[in-house]
Amino acid sequence: MPTYDYACDSCGNRFEVFQKMSDQPVNTCPSCGKAVRRVLSGGVGISFKGSGFYKNDSAPSCGNSTACAKASCGADK
Ligand SMILES: [Zn+2]
């Protein structure tokens, strides 16, 4: 199943979505509801390595401590 990475420019949230080709693309940020942009895995202009970065990282750079949708995010704990 292809994995899509998304980034929100509004709150800095980054997340990864497993989608079938037939699924609707994600257009809005689960944290702030603003528009997100899709980031190609492997990174065009982004230095992150590996698709596991978003899932497993504790998101020290998460800028939204009140409404971060990442279960692994420790910002509001
Ligand atoms: Zn956001």
Side-chain angles (χ1 to χ4, degrees):
M1 191 178 294
T3 302
Y4 298 101
D5 294 336
Y6 292 89
C8 176
D9 290 326
S10 297
C11 73
N13 187 32
R14 292 189 182 91
F15 56 100
E16 195 174 46
V17 180
F18 295 94
Q19 292 182 301
K20 298 174 186 171
M21 297 300 284
S22 58
D23 284 349
Q24 291 293 319
V26 176
N27 293 318
T28 57
C29 175
S31 289
C32 70
K34 300 280 181 61
V36 294
R37 58 189 170 83
R38 199 163 84 185
V39 182
L40 295 178
S41 291
V44 175
I46 294 180
S47 61
F48 299 139
K49 293 179 181 175
S51 60
F53 179 86
Y54 303 123
K55 297 186 291 195
N56 299 325
D57 190 83
S58 59
S61 64
C62 181
N64 193 336
S65 62
T66 58
C68 185
K70 292 178 66 173
S72 63
C73 181
D76 64 350
K77 293 194 173 62

